[in-house]
Amino acid sequence: MPITIHTKPFGTIQVDAKQILQFPNGLLGFEEFNEYALIEESPESPFKWLQSTKESGLAFILIQPELFLTNYKPAIGEEELLEIGLDTWKEGIIFLIVTIPHDDPKGMTANLQGPIIINGKQGKGKQFISRDENHPIRKNIVESMEEMSSEKV
């Protein structure tokens, strides 16, 4: 059954109920917002939108790490994962929040330290803090993609 939500990037849209995710703890800095829709802008785009269903101005751009990193493994405790019904992070769908500077789209970065992991079966998600010190808050996506493509040659 479609649900109508109001978004800043797309205006008023209809989403499938399966796209609605519950974040019992909200996201870091936005704890009071617990329900989001996962929106695909277009099938070709590597980015998705995590849009609050209650606040049209609250949306995050997401990317899956395997699209630009070869071996991203967040360091997250099992007890934390149980909160969203997962035994291991590999059972979930991992997304990273993207920041795109207005004046320099090539300078876009992904937050490796605060991954969002979704339990697709239960429609639950949580933002975690990776305990791996090698995971920066700002990892340049374009540079990482270029590194990945040069490694495959």
Side-chain angles (χ1 to χ4, degrees):
M1 183 160 140
I3 295 166
T4 301
I5 61 169
H6 305 286
T7 75
K8 195 171 177 181
F10 309 112
T12 300
I13 60 168
Q14 300 268 319
V15 297
D16 192 290
K18 290 185 212 132
Q19 291 172 260
I20 304 295
L21 302 168
Q22 300 302 318
F23 284 77
N25 305 318
L27 296 175
L28 299 174
F30 301 94
E31 289 79 5
E32 64 276 23
F33 297 98
N34 304 103
E35 189 178 82
Y36 291 84
L38 188 62
I39 302 168
E40 187 173 61
E41 191 171 349
S42 74
E44 306 82 48
S45 174
F47 303 105
K48 306 248 188 293
W49 288 81
L50 191 64
Q51 170 69 54
S52 168
T53 60
K54 308 287 185 246
E55 174 55 59
S56 63
L58 183 59
F60 300 91
I61 301 171
L62 305 180
I63 190 169
Q64 290 181 278
E66 61 270 19
L67 296 177
F68 70 101
L69 295 170
T70 46
N71 56 359
Y72 176 71
K73 296 181 179 97
I76 298 164
E78 285 180 26
E79 66 287 346
E80 290 179 86
L81 288 160
L82 289 174
E83 291 177 34
I84 58 167
L86 298 176
D87 292 321
T88 162
W89 62 266
K90 291 177 184 168
E91 294 174 356
I93 306 162
I94 299 182
F95 289 101
L96 303 173
I97 294 178
V98 175
T99 302
I100 303 174
H102 292 294
D103 57 341
D104 179 23
K106 281 195 157 90
M108 73 175 106
T109 60
N111 179 347
L112 273 54
Q113 204 168 64
I116 290 175
I117 302 180
I118 295 169
N119 178 335
K121 291 181 184 131
Q122 293 185 15
K124 276 190 191 170
K126 180 175 176 173
Q127 185 174 20
F128 295 88
I129 301 293
S130 174
R131 293 186 182 84
D132 186 332
E133 292 108 41
N134 297 318
H135 290 160
I137 292 174
R138 291 183 185 84
K139 174 76 170 162
N140 187 290
I141 295 172
V142 175
E143 286 175 12
S144 298
M145 284 179 164
E146 288 168 356
E147 286 170 21
M148 254 179 87
S149 61
S150 67
E151 287 170 12
K152 289 179 182 171
V153 176

